Amino acid sequence: MSTGINDMKEQFVFDPLISKRQQFLLATQLVKMILKIDDVIDEDSDELGALMNLDHSAVLQETRIFNQTPIRPRHSRLLLAKVLFLLYRGDSMSTNEATDLFFSTTKLFQCKDMSLRQMVYLAIKELSTRADDVIMVTSSLMKDMQPKSELAYRANAIRALCKIVEPSMLPGIERFLKSAIVEKSPTIASAALVSSLHLFGEAKDVVRRWGGEVSEALNGKALQGPSFFGGSGGNQIVSTSSIVQYHAMGLLYAIRQHDRMAVLKLVQGFSGQSRGWLGGAGSGLRSNMAQVMLIRYAVRVMEGDPSLFEQLQGLLEGWVRHRSDMVSLEAARAACQLQGASGQLLTAAVSALQVFLSSPRPTVRFAAMRTLSALARTHPDAVQPCNVDMEGLVADSNRSVATLAITTLLKTGNEASVDRLMKQMQGLMAEISDEFKAVVAEAVRSLCVKFPTKHSAFLGFLSSTLRDEGGYEFKRAAIEAIVDLAKHVPESREAALGHLCEFIEDCEFTKLSVRVLHFLGEEGPRTERPTVYIRHIYNRVVLENAVVRAAAVSALAKFGTVADEGLRKSVRVLLQRCLDDRDDEVRDRAAWALRMADNENTRTKYVRDDSTFALAVLERRLVEYCTGVRHGRVSLEGVPRISRAQAEEAQGRGRLEAMDAALVVGTSAVSAASPAVAGTATSSGAMAADSGAAAGMDVYEQQAEYASRLRAIPELAAFGEQPLVSSARAIELTEAETEYVVRCVKHVYERHVVFQFDVTNTIPEQVVGQVEVNMEPEEDTSEVLRPVVVIPAPELRCDEPSSVYVAFERVDTDVFPTASFACTLRFVVRECDPATGEPEEDDEGFDDEYSLEAVDLGPGDFMQAAYLPNSQALWEAMGADAEFLETFGLASFDSIASCIASVAELLGMCPLEGALTPTSKAAHQAVFTGRWMGGAKTVARTRMTYQKGAGVTMELAVRSEDPAVSELMVSAIA
């Protein structure tokens, strides 16, 4: 709402049913008129072809009849229908043509025919964006707004007038619109409110002055004094129509959106519990649509100010029990998506949704089922009470509801119900579209690891779906489910590979064939009988297109790395046959594989190493090189490497949200995925790589963005091309709800340390300038660190973050200092208009400061969290001489999970798979890798045990190519 975009959808204001009905009636009338044009319709062609054959020039020529006297209403109405169809069809019209047509159309105001007048309003609104001097028609439109005019004239005239009026002329018609807002006719009041909302983006100051009238329309209070639209003075009762309240709520929120307290009062005043901590006597809303909007505004207040969370949570629970299905569903959806919602609120929401599951209306059942499906990802236990009701919906006549029911049951059900659900899904798959089939496949994919003993049932179901007809997305989802099952349930590996081999024998999708061949090349050599899969792979070399043949050659090359000499010879023979392939890519891959097969070091480096590059960082560097931002050659040495598991997890992040989006699109109810769900969706995939490591792609992208911003500052660009190390996570120096939100990111260069402070001003009434951060070390650091430069932020407007930089020089590059800095934010405050954000011209401002949390500099800040492949071999190669080991008693930790998270943060290293997710509460082992100052390779190993009452005992061993680094890293914990 604070972006300034005048979009009704962004404002949560939508046309209600009554308005849509009027629009459809008018559109139907328009189409009927077009289809009755006898001189255009060809008897040998269909009606659509007749419409598409309208000639642009001929129609414009016919519009000359608008200047004739007397006016012929029917002919003019049909001709306007032709013009509108040309515009809707996308025909271009020059400014001169549009202007001439516009003023010819205005002459039709002389005719009193109501149907013609409605067509004139439509034409004016469409031509106003193309023609010049459209403001000349203002007098005619204002005449139609007079009290004696027809009701349909007045409402449509308001809409047309607000479409063409310029912001500078708005004060001239202000009294018209203010009176229309409180008019007793719902049609006129609604037209004025919606038009005002459209005008708000261009004339905020003027529309804000109408807040009193909008409040009266919303409250349904008595208006004192005479009305411009007629009627004697005294008490004129403002309309209490539901549609008026709905539109008034949207406009009033737009006016008050920058004032948090005003929005809070709006929510509290219309919540039905206004005699609370704010006091006062509020009035309830009669419009259910306005209640829905109020719920959304309440959620925004709760998310923006956590201190009000508990107080407004009770209101949300009351809305869940509202008598209207629409309001109750919206409140339940908001409660389920709200981060930090209490168990009592979730229980109330789930209970309400459970009642809606038995509703006779399919839309209500679908809405409740979709909300429960989203909640089941993060709180499956909370949804379990609805399992009996959801099982009854598996046979629902609405296939969307049935699909959601069965996929949700897969998330919340127990192992005993898996077989029954699989049988029910077998019958369901033939009746649903590919979008829903993909959703079911994804649900099975997430269930495979939850119940590994049921892998045979899962494989049977997925393999049968692959034999059915279906599109690419559905087949891809089923393939990925089988791949994940084979990876994480070893007992199912050979059976899964067999099903995949069967699939590629008759696969029509090249991408899926390549995916399966790649997986066969990874997993096939590890099986007991790899020759079984070699036959299927070589068949692709003989029968498929060039892309698949190339993938098959790469898969064969991986079989050539096994220990069995006889098998390697057989693979070499097959690769030699590929040298005669007609495609050069296939020949090149075969030649490379043959050369690589005879060298053990080469096989280890190019085949067995599962790491890859952070492609987002590589892409950014290539773009910078092509655009001239980066000079010199692009080297892969500076591109971070990540594990294959990290790359796959990064590519699959958001997969569950995409499936929900497919569900919504399939039912013509597009909606955005909830941030609350999006933030936690990835945690449901236990089969994926460690969640902490999986965030690596995002970290590398963020660090590349930091490097680009630092290079753009001349004072910092002199320190180096890019930082050797940047913080993987920003440090919060203030609370999220404070006036100024500050985060710190540390960048380490060869000789310098740069502290980046990202500052956000959250006060709409203030603009702060000359923003800088004063850093005072708690101990004397002059011998190791020397201040160099402070780069302030020139200006901070509300909710527009900016950065302040403080740089220090390391006096001795062989010394890595540790220090703690007391930080103070200093700035100049000036008052401003919350609407425009512009400071007052005569306000010179005053100096102010704001205390921040201390910032620490430690050994972990000099360590680059880099993934190092073959960490075991690297550990052994560095030897015991490079090791430093120490044991710590950490009694303050009450669990291994919290301890390992703190250790990972202090070390600043990359956790390998499983490091941050202990599988036992009593003992855990973890491995971390990194590069000291981007150079020396370092590996850390931890072993932890936990005893209740004694806390965590940890043994930390560090080995590095630089032995001094090992001791430094251990000291980070001490």
Side-chain angles (χ1 to χ4, degrees):
M1 294 297 298
S2 59
T3 59
I5 299 176
N6 186 27
D7 188 345
M8 292 183 67
K9 185 175 181 180
E10 293 289 337
Q11 304 282 358
F12 291 115
V13 177
F14 305 96
D15 279 344
L17 178 61
I18 184 173
S19 178
K20 284 295 182 186
R21 185 182 300 160
Q22 293 175 353
Q23 294 178 33
F24 282 132
L25 289 175
L26 187 58
T28 303
Q29 182 184 11
L30 173 62
V31 171
K32 287 181 178 180
M33 287 188 293
I34 293 176
L35 296 179
K36 290 180 180 178
I37 303 175
D38 299 330
D39 58 336
V40 173
I41 297 179
D42 186 358
E43 294 180 357
D44 297 330
S45 63
D46 58 6
E47 294 175 344
L48 180 61
L51 296 176
M52 298 307 295
N53 290 330
L54 284 175
D55 182 69
H56 179 91
S57 301
V59 172
L60 292 181
Q61 190 73 16
E62 285 186 66
T63 58
R64 293 182 178 180
I65 68 167
F66 295 163
N67 300 317
Q68 295 178 1
T69 304
I71 295 174
R72 298 155 59 188
R74 183 178 181 277
H75 196 177
S76 299
R77 188 169 68 247
L78 295 177
L79 191 53
L80 282 176
K82 292 183 183 181
V83 172
L84 290 173
F85 182 80
L86 291 176
L87 295 176
Y88 295 154
R89 193 174 66 179
D91 286 20
S92 60
M93 187 176 294
S94 67
T95 302
N96 291 334
E97 290 177 338
T99 303
D100 293 341
L101 180 57
F102 180 85
F103 284 102
S104 297
T105 303
T106 59
K107 294 181 180 181
L108 298 178
F109 275 103
Q110 302 173 28
C111 181
K112 300 299 183 181
D113 184 83
M114 185 174 294
S115 298
L116 177 59
R117 186 65 60 88
Q118 289 180 324
M119 295 298 296
V120 170
Y121 290 134
L122 285 176
I124 287 176
K125 291 172 65 176
E126 293 299 325
L127 293 171
S128 62
T129 58
R130 297 173 171 86
D132 292 333
D133 301 325
V134 295
I135 202 65
M136 302 298 292
V137 79
T138 302
S139 59
S140 298
L141 293 173
M142 293 184 67
K143 183 179 179 181
D144 281 353
M145 294 168 58
Q146 299 300 319
K148 295 182 181 180
S149 300
E150 294 289 340
L151 186 63
Y153 286 5
R154 294 156 67 183
N156 288 327
I158 291 174
R159 294 189 180 97
L161 181 61
C162 292
K163 178 73 173 179
I164 67 173
V165 72
E166 297 178 359
S168 59
M169 300 183 63
L170 192 56
I173 62 170
E174 183 176 358
R175 66 190 185 101
F176 285 83
L177 295 176
K178 290 173 67 175
S179 298
I181 289 174
V182 294
E183 172 66 23
K184 61 182 179 181
S185 168
T187 305
I188 296 176
S190 178
L193 288 166
V194 175
S195 299
S196 301
L197 190 55
H198 282 296
L199 291 171
F200 185 76
E202 299 178 352
K204 290 184 173 65
D205 293 337
V206 178
V207 178
R208 278 196 174 93
R209 296 200 294 261
W210 309 344
E213 286 75 13
V214 178
S215 297
E216 291 176 2
L218 184 59
N219 287 303
K221 294 181 179 179
L223 179 65
Q224 300 291 335
S227 169
F228 175 81
F229 283 91
S232 58
N235 293 338
Q236 179 188 349
I237 303 301
V238 180
S239 170
T240 57
S241 168
S242 297
I243 189 60
V244 173
Q245 281 194 329
Y246 172 62
H247 288 146
M249 176 66 73
L251 180 57
L252 190 60
Y253 179 75
I255 292 173
R256 298 181 177 180
Q257 58 184 319
H258 294 293
D259 189 341
R260 291 186 179 181
M261 186 55 65
V263 175
L264 179 61
K265 289 181 179 179
L266 174 67
V267 172
Q268 186 74 15
F270 288 97
S271 64
Q273 302 179 13
S274 54
R275 291 190 178 273
W277 59 278
L278 279 176
S283 58
L285 291 175
R286 298 174 181 84
S287 171
N288 293 330
M289 293 179 291
Q291 288 275 10
V292 168
M293 294 173 66
L294 194 65
I295 293 171
R296 296 178 181 178
Y297 301 153
V299 171
R300 290 190 177 189
V301 172
M302 296 168 73
E303 293 175 346
D305 191 351
S307 63
L308 299 173
F309 194 92
E310 294 296 331
Q311 297 171 357
L312 294 182
Q313 195 169 225
L315 299 181
L316 199 58
E317 187 175 349
W319 277 315
V320 168
R321 295 189 291 268
H322 198 275
R323 62 180 180 274
S324 169
D325 291 353
M326 180 192 303
V327 177
S328 182
L329 278 169
E330 179 65 25
R333 184 190 64 84
C336 293
Q337 295 179 354
L338 195 63
Q339 293 184 358
S342 65
Q344 181 179 353
L345 179 59
L346 281 180
T347 301
V350 171
S351 299
L353 293 172
Q354 186 176 9
V355 174
F356 290 134
L357 292 180
S358 57
S359 171
R361 291 182 291 174
T363 52
V364 174
R365 297 198 304 273
F366 174 77
M369 198 64 254
R370 188 176 64 178
T371 303
L372 288 172
S373 179
L375 181 63
R377 292 202 216 132
T378 54
H379 299 83
D381 294 338
V383 184
Q384 280 186 351
C386 303
N387 281 2
V388 175
D389 301 88
M390 290 189 292
E391 287 187 10
L393 294 178
V394 172
D396 195 276
S397 57
N398 187 300
R399 295 292 87 186
S400 304
V401 176
T403 305
L404 277 174
I406 202 162
T407 52
T408 307
L409 283 170
L410 290 175
K411 301 171 189 174
T412 62
N414 51 38
E415 191 169 0
S417 63
V418 168
D419 293 329
R420 183 178 72 257
L421 291 175
M422 287 297 166
K423 291 179 181 178
Q424 291 175 320
M425 281 195 297
Q426 288 284 7
L428 181 68
M429 296 297 284
E431 304 176 13
I432 59 178
S433 63
D434 279 1
E435 289 84 356
F436 292 115
K437 289 180 181 178
V439 172
V440 172
E442 290 291 345
V444 174
R445 179 182 182 181
S446 64
L447 200 66
C448 290
V449 173
K450 186 177 180 180
F451 304 122
T453 58
K454 295 293 183 180
H455 62 82
S456 58
F458 296 139
L459 273 180
F461 171 76
L462 292 170
S463 61
S464 65
T465 60
L466 288 178
R467 300 187 193 100
D468 299 335
E469 294 293 329
Y472 170 77
E473 288 298 332
F474 160 54
K475 298 286 187 179
R476 183 198 60 79
I479 289 296
E480 293 299 333
I482 294 177
V483 167
D484 274 355
L485 187 61
K487 282 183 178 179
H488 302 283
V489 184
E491 298 84 358
S492 67
R493 179 181 301 166
E494 294 198 10
L497 293 179
H499 290 305
L500 294 177
C501 289
E502 179 185 350
F503 171 72
I504 61 173
E505 291 292 338
D506 189 26
C507 178
E508 58 182 317
F509 301 106
T510 298
K511 287 185 179 181
L512 294 183
S513 295
V514 172
R515 175 71 176 106
V516 171
L517 288 169
H518 173 74
F519 184 68
L520 290 175
E522 285 185 333
E523 299 295 330
R526 305 177 189 176
T527 60
E528 296 181 358
R529 296 184 300 165
T531 53
V532 174
Y533 312 108
I534 292 177
R535 175 173 60 86
H536 291 281
I537 294 173
Y538 189 71
N539 285 345
R540 302 305 99 211
V541 177
V542 177
L543 302 174
E544 291 287 355
N545 57 52
V547 175
V548 178
R549 296 202 305 273
V553 170
S554 296
L556 284 175
K558 295 178 181 179
F559 281 86
T561 63
V562 298
D564 188 349
E565 181 62 28
L567 181 60
R568 288 209 303 269
K569 290 182 180 179
S570 300
V571 172
R572 191 177 294 110
V573 171
L574 297 178
L575 290 173
Q576 287 173 347
R577 294 180 183 177
C578 298
L579 294 174
D580 298 327
D581 194 274
R582 59 183 179 275
D583 184 78
D584 55 351
E585 174 71 16
V586 178
R587 296 195 301 270
D588 291 345
R589 292 197 185 193
W592 169 82
L594 286 169
R595 184 166 183 175
M596 175 268 306
D598 297 327
N599 190 318
E600 177 64 26
N601 293 332
T602 306
R603 291 200 300 268
T604 301
K605 182 177 181 180
Y606 293 107
V607 178
R608 294 172 185 169
D609 182 7
D610 69 339
S611 63
T612 184
F613 292 102
L615 297 181
V617 179
L618 178 60
E619 179 185 11
R620 176 183 288 274
R621 295 196 177 185
L622 292 173
V623 170
E624 292 176 348
Y625 175 77
C626 294
T627 55
V629 176
R630 178 183 292 271
H631 303 287
R633 66 187 182 89
V634 178
S635 173
L636 292 177
E637 294 179 358
V639 179
R641 296 181 72 90
I642 59 176
S643 68
R644 185 72 63 179
Q646 285 177 269
E648 291 178 354
E649 176 63 16
Q651 293 172 357
R653 195 174 293 124
R655 171 171 45 86
L656 296 178
E657 287 76 14
M659 287 300 101
D660 277 356
L663 268 176
V664 177
V665 170
T667 54
S668 302
V670 179
S671 65
S674 164
V677 176
T680 56
T682 55
S683 63
S684 63
M687 63 188 67
D690 174 79
S691 59
M697 286 291 288
D698 293 334
V699 170
Y700 291 128
E701 291 177 34
Q702 185 62 61
Q703 291 182 350
E705 174 64 24
Y706 288 149
S708 299
R709 292 166 58 182
L710 293 170
R711 281 196 302 271
I713 302 173
E715 295 90 340
L716 303 182
F719 297 163
E721 178 70 15
Q722 66 180 29
L724 299 177
V725 183
S726 290
S727 302
R729 185 178 62 85
I731 305 170
E732 303 289 343
L733 302 184
T734 61
E735 298 294 335
E737 63 272 12
T738 56
E739 297 93 335
Y740 307 100
V741 180
V742 184
R743 306 191 313 163
C744 179
V745 180
K746 290 167 275 190
H747 308 284
V748 177
Y749 290 84
E750 184 68 32
R751 295 187 60 88
H752 297 82
V753 178
V754 177
F755 295 87
Q756 172 185 326
F757 296 91
D758 296 328
V759 187
T760 303
N761 170 29
T762 63
I763 305 176
E765 296 81 8
Q766 291 183 357
V767 172
V768 297
Q770 304 174 25
V771 185
E772 59 183 40
V773 177
N774 180 53
M775 300 183 67
E776 292 291 340
E778 297 181 356
E779 299 179 359
D780 184 18
T781 60
S782 58
E783 296 182 359
V784 291
L785 284 176
R786 182 172 61 246
V788 178
V789 65
V790 176
I791 301 176
E795 188 177 72
L796 279 180
R797 296 175 182 267
C798 181
D799 294 332
E800 295 182 5
S802 186
S803 297
V804 178
Y805 299 90
V806 181
F808 291 84
E809 182 182 8
R810 293 165 53 213
V811 177
D812 187 350
T813 56
D814 294 330
V815 176
F816 301 95
T818 59
S820 181
F821 297 88
C823 299
T824 304
L825 186 69
R826 294 179 177 174
F827 46 87
V828 176
V829 179
R830 290 191 295 168
E831 300 294 329
C832 74
D833 181 3
T836 61
E838 295 296 332
E840 299 177 4
E841 296 181 358
D842 56 346
D843 186 6
E844 296 181 358
F846 59 91
D847 295 333
D848 199 358
E849 61 181 34
Y850 193 84
S851 297
L852 307 175
E853 295 288 338
V855 175
D856 297 324
L857 182 67
D861 296 317
F862 298 91
M863 178 65 70
Q864 181 187 48
Y867 170 77
L868 301 178
N870 302 319
S871 59
Q872 176 64 31
L874 183 61
W875 176 271
E876 295 174 355
M878 287 187 289
D881 294 337
E883 180 177 326
F884 196 88
L885 184 144
E886 192 165 338
T887 302
F888 302 90
L890 307 174
S892 59
F893 292 100
D894 57 0
S895 69
I896 289 179
S898 59
C899 181
I900 193 65
S902 298
V903 169
E905 183 176 354
L906 290 172
L907 293 178
M909 304 177 74
C910 175
L912 298 190
E913 185 173 354
L916 301 183
T917 54
T919 57
S920 171
K921 295 182 179 180
H924 180 59
Q925 295 184 2
V927 180
F928 301 85
T929 61
R931 289 180 176 269
W932 182 258
M933 293 288 288
K937 297 179 180 179
T938 307
V939 180
R941 289 183 171 183
T942 64
R943 292 193 300 174
M944 298 181 178
T945 59
Y946 173 74
Q947 272 189 328
K948 190 174 182 181
V952 177
T953 302
M954 181 183 72
E955 179 186 87
L956 174 64
V958 181
R959 292 184 182 182
S960 175
E961 292 177 338
D962 183 354
V965 172
S966 301
E967 184 176 357
L968 277 172
M969 293 308 299
V970 172
S971 69
I973 305 297

